[in-house]
Amino acid sequence: MKFSEDQIKNLIDEAIKARENAYTPYSHFKVGALVIDQNGNHHNGCNIENGSYGLTNCGERTAIFNGISNGMKTIDTIVVVADTTGPVSPCGACRQVIKEFSTNNTVIILANLKKEYKIMTMEELLPYGFQL
């Protein structure tokens, strides 16, 4: 495994901290995300809602866009966390955006606030995903 149990818990803690900045006046469903890029840099994000719900941005995409705007080329690791009974599952749009910037070695960690987590590959998260 790429990360020790303690390292995984620390990464989840970073995503939980990012979640604290979520703007969710409509759903009250806060999501935090952490992306580690190809150089080991950490980029965080949270979901940001809008009264015109289609303009809402998920935490995963916020973290990825933060990384891209700071020079990220590929996702080494992504951690997503929410207050769910089991590990949170990204929406379809986020799965496709994760795929756009992933490699065959990207580590995907889905977690909840109890730090229960599941580690997945991109193929497990989005089989048959679209890519040019």
Side-chain angles (χ1 to χ4, degrees), residues 6-76:
D6 285 342
Q7 289 172 319
I8 291 169
K9 300 290 182 168
N10 288 337
L11 295 175
I12 293 170
D13 282 338
E14 283 190 60
I16 289 171
K17 183 161 180 50
R19 180 182 172 273
E20 293 171 6
N21 292 323
Y23 176 74
T24 60
Y26 309 105
S27 73
H28 307 290
F29 184 75
K30 296 181 176 193
V31 177
L34 168 70
V35 170
I36 303 173
D37 69 21
Q38 72 282 352
N39 296 319
N41 299 312
H42 291 210
H43 310 280
N44 63 28
C46 59
N47 55 326
I48 304 165
E49 295 180 346
N50 188 279
S52 176
Y53 224 60
L55 300 179
T56 293
N57 202 55
C58 300
E60 301 92 308
R61 286 183 283 146
T62 301
I64 292 167
F65 298 161
N66 180 13
I68 294 299
S69 67
N70 283 291
M72 180 179 84
K73 302 296 182 212
T74 60
I75 299 169
D76 179 78

